C-alpha cells in the first residue's frame, strides 16, 4: 500500500513516476510539476500518528488538504476512528477512505467524519493515477475553498466596517440636521425651523397666533452681569416659555434675546390673554449664578385667521411691527398687530424713497427764522430750517422727514445740502450769522469738522458766521469724542449751540465740560413759563447758568409779548419765535438782514398745520 502511495506521489526524478508521467502525457520528458508538484506528502503508518500530524500541521498553520486513510491499520485506532478524530481537529480537510469492499461502511464513516462533501472513497485495489487525480483535484478545491473563505472573511470585515461607517454617517447627518434647525444655547428650534413650522401651520385650518417676544434692556443684563449670565437668562426664559406654551405650541429662539412662539387660539382675546400671561411669567426676578436679575419683556402679536392673512413672511413682518410698537409704547406690553401699523410704515417708506429724489429734484428748500438780541431786538442771525414740498404729500414737516433721513445715510446728503444753502444765504447778509441744525448722526460723522471747513472755504464764508446747532443727544454717547469735535469746531472759528436745552439728560452741571457758545432754551419751557412755576424756574436758572459760563442764551418759540418781556427781564440775551417772526424764505430773510422790511411778514413758511401760535407737527 505504502509503496503504491510513494509511487503515486514520488518525487519527479523517481523513475516509476517519470514513466507514469510519460504514460499520462504521452511525452518523454515529463513536464516539471506535471504530477502535482505543489503537493507535499506526509505518510504515516498508524492512525494515531496521522492525528498527531494533523494536529501539528494545524498548529504550524500549514494544514493538510487531503488525508488518504485505510480502514484497516496496524494496531492502534482504526481508519474510522482516525477519520473521526481528524475531522474533530480540522473541519476543512478532505478525507479519502481507501477501502476494500468487505469493510466499506460509508454511512458509519459519514456519521463519524462528515460532512459528505468532504469524504471520498477509493476502492482497493487502486490505480496510482486515481489517487493522484483525486489528491490533485481535492487539494485544488481545498485551496480554492480556503481562498474563498479568506475573501469572505475579508468581505465580512469590510461589511462590518461599512456598516459602522454608515451608522456614523447617519448619526452625523442627523446631528447636522439638528444643528441646522436648533439653537445651540437653548436647544430650542431656531428661526429657520420656526419659519418652516409656520409654513406648514398656515396650510392647516384653524385660527392660530404668532408672537415675537423680546427681552427689555437685555443688553444691560449682559453689561452688568456678564455674557454668561446673559446666556443663563436666555436659557431660563426659553425654559419658562416652553413650559407655558406646552405641547400644542412652539417656542423658538429667533435671535439674541428674541423668541418666536406659535399657539393655537380661538381668537384675538384668548391670544392676548395668553401672551399677557407669558409676559407675567418672564417678568420679575430670576436667580442667575446667585444674583437677582430683574427681567421684563415685550410681545408683538399676530392672530392669523382669515385666508389672506396666511403668508408666513407677512405674519412675521406684522409680528415684528407689533413688537416694535410694544417697545415704543413703554415695554413690558403685549401689542396686537393692527392695520395702522402698516400704514405708518408704508408712509415712512414713501418718505424715504421720496426724499432720495427730493434733493436732486429741488423739492427741498430752506427757510430762515430771524434771531434778535437785547432790548433793542437787533437782528443778529437766522436759524435755517428745512422744508420739503413733495409733489405727492405737499408740505412735509422736518419733524417728520429728518428722523427718517437719520435712519440712513440720507441725513448726510441732506445735511451737506442744507449747509451749502445756508452758506449761500449768509453771503447775502451784511453781518448776521446762520444757525444750522445737525442731527447726532451728522455730528458723529467721520471728518465732520474738515468737511465743514471745506464747505465754508468753498463758499468764501468766515466760520464765525456759521453756528452749529446740536442737541444734548449728540454729546451723550461718546462724551470724550464729542468734546474733541466741539473743541476743533471752535478752534476753526465756528460757533456751537446746544439746541432744545433742558430736554436731554445732560445736567446743567455737566454742560461745563463742553466748549460751546450758546444755549437754546427749549420752547416747551418758554411755552410753560406763564403757567407753571417749574418752567419759569428752569428758564431762569438756564439763563443764569449761561451768563455765569459766559454763554449766549437764546429763547426759542417766543409767541407772546409777555414771554418776550419776561425773558428780556431775566437777562436772556437772544430771542426767536413767531411773536417776532415766522421763518422767512431766502429773499425775505436777505431783505430783512439788509435793514429793509419784509413784503408780507405773516406769510407762512411753515408746514400745513403751523401758523402763529400753532404747534408744529411732531
Ligand atoms: P428746532 O431746531 O427746535 O427748530 C425750531 C422749530 O420750532 C422749527 O420747526 C420752527 O419752525 C419752530 N418754531 C419757531 N418759532 C416757533 C414758535 O414761536 N412757536 C412754535 N410752536 N414753533 C416755533 P421746524 O422748522 O418744523 O423744525 C423742526 C425740527 O426739525 C427742528 O427743531 C430741527 O430739530 C429739525 N430740523 C429742521 N431743519 C433741519 C435741518 O436742516 N437739519 C437737521 N438735522 N434738522 C433739522
Ligand atoms: Ca434748532
Ligand atoms: Ca430747538
Amino acid at each position: 500500500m505504502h509503496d503504491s502511495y510513494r509511487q503515486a506521489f514520488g518525487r519527479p526524478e523517481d523513475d516509476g513516476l517519470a514513466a507514469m508521467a510519460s504514460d499520462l502525457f504521452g511525452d518523454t520528458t515529463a513536464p516539471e510539476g506535471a504530477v502535482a508538484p505543489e503537493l507535499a506528502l506526509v505518510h504515516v503508518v498508524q492512525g494515531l500518528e496521522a492525528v498527531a500530524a494533523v494536529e501539528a500541521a494545524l498548529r504550524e498553520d500549514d494544514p493538510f488538504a487531503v488525508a488518504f486513510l485505510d480502514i484497516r491499520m496496524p494496531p492502534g485506532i482504526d481508519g474510522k476512528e482516525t477519520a473521526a478524530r481528524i475531522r474533530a481537529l480540522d473541519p476543512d480537510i478532505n478525507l479519502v477512505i481507501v477501502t476494500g469492499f468487505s469493510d466499506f461502511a460509508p454511512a458509519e464513516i459519514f456519521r463519524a467524519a462528515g460532512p459528505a462533501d468532504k469524504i471520498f472513497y477509493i476502492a482497493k485495489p487502486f490505480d496510482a493515477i486515481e489517487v493522484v487525480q483525486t489528491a490533485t483535484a481535492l487539494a485544488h478545491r481545498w485551496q480554492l475553498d480556503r481562498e474563498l473563505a479568506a475573501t469572505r472573511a475579508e468581505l465580512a470585515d469590510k461589511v462590518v466596517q461599512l456598516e459602522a461607517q454608515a451608522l456614523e454617517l447617519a448619526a452625523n447627518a442627523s446631528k447636522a440636521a439638528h444643528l441646522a434647525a436648533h439653537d445651540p444655547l437653548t436647544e430650542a428650534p431656531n428661526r429657520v425651523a420656526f419659519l418652516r413650522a409656520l409654513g406648514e401651520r398656515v396650510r392647516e385650518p384653524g385660527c392660530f397666533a404668532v408672537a415675537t417676544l423680546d427681552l427689555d434692556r437685555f443688553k444691560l443684563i449682559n453689561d452688568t452681569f456678564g455674557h454668561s449670565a446673559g446666556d443663563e437668562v436666555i436659557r431660563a426664559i426659553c425654559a419658562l416659555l416652553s413650559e407655558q406654551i406646552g405641547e400644542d405650541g412652539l417656542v423658538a429662539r429667533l435671535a439674541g434675546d428674541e423668541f418666536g412662539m406659535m399657539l393655537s387660539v380661538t381668537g384675538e382675546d384668548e391670544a392676548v390673554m395668553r401672551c399677557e400671561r407669558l409676559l407675567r411669567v418672564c417678568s420679575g426676578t430670576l436667580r442667575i449664578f446667585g444674583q437677582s436679575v430683574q427681567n421684563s419683556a415685550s410681545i408683538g402679536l399676530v392672530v392669523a385667521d382669515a385666508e389672506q392673512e396666511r403668508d408666513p413672511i407677512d405674519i412675521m413682518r406684522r409680528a415684528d411691527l407689533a413688537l416694535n410698537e410694544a417697545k415704543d409704547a413703554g415695554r413690558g406690553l403685549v401689542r396686537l398687530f393692527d392695520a395702522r401699523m402698516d400704514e405708518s410704515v408704508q408712509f415712512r417708506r414713501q418718505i424715504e424713497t421720496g426724499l432720495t429724489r427730493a434733493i436732486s429734484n429741488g423739492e427741498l428748500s430752506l427757510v430762515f427764522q430771524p434771531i434778535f438780541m437785547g432790548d433793542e431786538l437787533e437782528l443778529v442771525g437766522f436759524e435755517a430750517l428745512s422744508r420739503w414740498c413733495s409733489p405727492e404729500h405737499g408740505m412735509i414737516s422736518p419733524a417728520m422727514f429728518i428722523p427718517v433721513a437719520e435712519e440712513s445715510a440720507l441725513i448726510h446728503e441732506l445735511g451737506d445740502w442744507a449747509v451749502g444753502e445756508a452758506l449761500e444765504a449768509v453771503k447775502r447778509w451784511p453781518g448776521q450769522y446762520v444757525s444750522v441744525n445737525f442731527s447726532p448722526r451728522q455730528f458723529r460723522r467721520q471728518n465732520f469738522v474738515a468737511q465743514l471747513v471745506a464747505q465754508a472755504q468753498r463758499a468764501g464764508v468766515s466760520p464765525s458766521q456759521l453756528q452749529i446747532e446740536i442737541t444734548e443727544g449728540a454729546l451723550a454717547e461718546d462724551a470724550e469724542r464729542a468734546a474733541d469735535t466741539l473743541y476743533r469746531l471752535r478752534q476753526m472759528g465756528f460757533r456751537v449751540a446746544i439746541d432744545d436745552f433742558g430736554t436731554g439728560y445732560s445736567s446743567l452741571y455737566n454742560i461745563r465740560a463742553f466748549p460751546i457758545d450758546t444755549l437754546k432754551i427749549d420752547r416747551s419751557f418758554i411755552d410753560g413759563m406763564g403757567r407753571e412755576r417749574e418752567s419759569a424756574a428752569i428758564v431762569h436758572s438756564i439763563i443764569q447758568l449761561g451768563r455765569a459760563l459766559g454763554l449766549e442764551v437764546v429763547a426759542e418759540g417766543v409767541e407772546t409779548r409777555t414771554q418776550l418781556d419776561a425773558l428780556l427781564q431775566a437777562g436772556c440775551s437772544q430771542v426767536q419765535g413767531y411773536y417776532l417772526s415766522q421763518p422767512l424764505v431766502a429773499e425775505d430773510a436777505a431783505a430783512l438782514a439788509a435793514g429793509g422790511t419784509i413784503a408780507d411778514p405773516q406769510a407762512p413758511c411753515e408746514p400745513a398745520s403751523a401758523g402763529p401760535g400753532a404747534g408744529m407737527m411732531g
Side-chain angles (χ1 to χ4, degrees):
M1 275 306 298
H2 283 283
D3 282 347
S4 307
Y5 284 125
R6 200 171 297 125
Q7 196 187 23
F9 293 108
R11 284 165 295 146
E13 58 269 26
D14 282 7
D15 286 348
L17 208 65
M20 202 168 67
S22 63
D23 255 10
L24 258 174
F25 300 103
D27 200 337
T28 42
T29 54
E32 214 199 312
V35 184
E38 72 274 22
L39 296 179
L41 180 72
V42 170
H43 75 100
V44 293
V45 179
Q46 221 299 306
L48 287 169
E49 291 173 64
V51 173
V54 166
E55 200 169 14
L58 283 170
R59 217 179 307 121
E60 309 270 279
D61 202 18
D62 186 19
F64 289 104
V66 195
F68 288 83
L69 299 172
D70 251 51
I71 290 294
R72 288 201 218 122
M73 288 190 206
I77 53 172
D78 69 1
K80 196 184 87 187
E81 179 60 19
T82 307
R85 290 196 192 181
I86 289 179
R87 172 62 71 224
L89 288 169
D90 185 345
D92 298 325
I93 194 167
N94 293 295
L95 299 173
V96 183
I97 310 298
V98 185
T99 173
F101 281 110
S102 56
D103 42 37
F104 181 56
E108 249 175 80
I109 293 175
F110 161 68
R111 257 199 306 279
D117 68 336
K118 287 198 166 64
I119 298 189
F120 303 86
Y121 303 92
I122 289 179
K124 280 198 255 185
F126 60 80
D127 222 333
I129 192 72
E130 218 178 322
V131 170
V132 173
Q133 277 180 346
T134 307
T136 312
L138 290 180
H140 192 60
R141 193 184 81 167
W142 180 85
Q143 187 62 38
L144 287 179
D145 280 352
R146 264 169 75 90
E147 282 165 16
L148 201 63
T151 311
R152 250 198 223 117
E154 219 171 278
L155 276 176
D157 267 3
K158 283 258 159 61
V159 168
V160 169
Q161 268 175 31
L162 281 174
E163 274 170 356
Q165 277 171 8
L167 275 177
E168 200 177 317
L169 277 176
N172 281 343
S174 81
K175 206 194 279 175
H178 183 86
L179 278 179
H182 287 78
D183 160 51
L185 179 65
T186 58
E187 286 288 312
N190 60 15
R191 181 181 283 275
V192 173
F194 189 76
L195 287 176
R196 196 181 304 138
L198 181 57
E200 280 161 21
R201 183 63 185 85
V202 293
R203 285 197 290 272
E204 288 165 25
C207 178
F208 71 97
V210 167
T212 48
L213 178 146
D214 192 279
L215 296 182
D216 297 334
R217 300 185 192 83
F218 179 67
K219 191 178 172 307
L220 195 69
I221 294 178
N222 264 337
D223 291 349
T224 318
F225 299 99
H227 282 267
S228 46
D231 285 355
E232 223 26 64
V233 169
I234 295 287
R235 260 200 288 263
I237 294 288
C238 188
L240 287 171
L241 291 175
S242 306
E243 194 186 302
Q244 279 293 310
I245 293 282
E247 288 297 302
D248 67 320
L250 176 70
V251 178
R253 184 174 177 217
L254 302 181
D257 61 338
E258 197 183 323
F259 296 91
M261 286 158 294
M262 198 153 64
L263 29 153
S264 291
V265 290
T266 50
E268 292 185 347
D269 290 348
E270 191 202 341
V272 171
M273 229 171 60
R274 286 186 62 183
C275 284
E276 279 170 349
R277 196 175 327 135
L278 287 176
L279 277 195
R280 275 199 299 279
V281 168
C282 300
S283 304
T285 310
L286 279 176
R287 293 293 295 177
I288 302 290
F289 300 144
Q291 314 235 42
S292 301
V293 178
Q294 195 62 33
N295 257 304
S296 75
S298 308
I299 287 185
L301 178 63
V302 172
V303 174
D305 198 358
E307 212 39 58
Q308 67 275 15
E309 288 171 351
R310 284 178 171 258
D311 173 48
I313 300 297
D314 197 51
I315 289 175
M316 291 306 286
R317 187 187 61 81
R318 284 182 283 147
D320 283 344
L321 277 180
L323 177 61
N324 281 341
E325 294 251 333
K327 285 195 270 190
D328 287 349
R331 302 163 193 266
L333 295 168
V334 176
R335 270 281 178 280
L336 182 65
F337 173 83
D338 79 62
R340 270 174 313 161
M341 297 179 185
D342 249 352
E343 283 160 21
S344 76
V345 166
Q346 269 158 22
F347 184 61
R348 281 178 82 88
R349 210 168 291 148
Q350 278 174 15
I351 288 191
E352 203 179 304
T353 41
L355 198 53
T356 316
R357 294 184 326 247
I359 301 175
S360 48
N361 285 3
E363 290 161 27
L364 289 181
S365 60
L366 285 186
V367 291
F368 302 91
Q369 186 173 35
I371 301 167
F372 302 93
M373 187 172 77
D375 294 331
E376 276 74 53
L377 296 176
E378 179 199 346
L379 177 69
V380 288
F382 294 84
E383 177 174 0
L385 296 161
S386 296
R387 294 290 174 265
W388 178 13
C389 187
S390 140
E392 294 105 11
H393 303 286
M395 204 56 135
I396 300 172
S397 163
M400 188 83 202
F401 66 81
I402 295 288
V404 175
E406 245 169 82
E407 277 171 19
S408 68
L410 261 179
I411 190 68
H412 297 309
E413 206 181 325
L414 194 149
D416 291 344
W417 167 85
V419 171
E421 290 288 298
L423 289 170
E424 283 311 306
V426 82
K427 281 203 289 199
R428 298 166 61 190
W429 307 337
Q432 293 84 352
Y433 68 87
V434 67
S435 198
V436 179
N437 293 284
F438 289 84
S439 77
R441 191 168 167 164
Q442 290 176 273
F443 181 72
R444 286 195 281 264
R445 185 191 195 179
Q446 284 275 314
N447 287 330
F448 173 63
V449 180
Q451 185 102 8
L452 277 181
V453 171
Q455 277 187 294
Q457 251 166 16
R458 227 177 297 137
V461 172
S462 154
S464 63
Q465 276 192 284
L466 182 60
Q467 177 164 274
I468 317 297
E469 286 194 25
I470 51 164
T471 55
E472 294 157 85
L475 308 178
E477 202 166 280
D478 183 347
E480 225 166 280
R481 184 165 164 216
D484 181 58
T485 307
L486 291 179
Y487 175 78
R488 283 185 293 126
L489 277 175
R490 292 189 73 216
Q491 204 182 29
M492 298 316 296
F494 295 104
R495 303 159 60 108
V496 177
I498 302 297
D499 201 3
D500 304 343
F501 188 71
T503 57
Y505 294 102
S506 62
S507 67
L508 297 178
Y509 182 80
N510 279 346
I511 207 72
R512 296 174 320 151
F514 295 104
I516 52 172
D517 302 274
T518 307
L519 291 180
K520 294 190 80 169
I521 310 173
D522 189 67
R523 69 166 189 271
S524 60
F525 300 118
I526 311 299
D527 187 44
M529 267 169 75
R531 286 178 277 118
E532 309 149 359
R533 293 188 54 195
E534 292 86 353
S535 288
I538 289 170
V539 170
H540 275 96
S541 56
I542 294 176
I543 292 170
Q544 267 154 35
L545 170 89
R547 289 176 69 145
L549 296 176
L551 305 175
E552 296 282 356
V553 178
V554 181
E556 58 180 11
V558 180
E559 294 182 353
T560 65
R561 174 88 226 176
T562 326
Q563 287 168 350
L564 178 66
D565 289 343
L567 286 162
L568 291 176
Q569 185 151 31
C572 184
S573 54
Q574 300 186 5
V575 285
Q576 170 187 1
Y578 293 161
Y579 178 72
L580 298 146
S581 171
Q582 293 249 341
L584 308 170
V585 294
E587 291 302 309
D588 290 345
L592 186 68
T597 47
I598 321 157
D600 178 7
Q602 289 305 306
C605 295
E606 296 290 65
S609 68
M616 295 294 294
M617 284 171 73

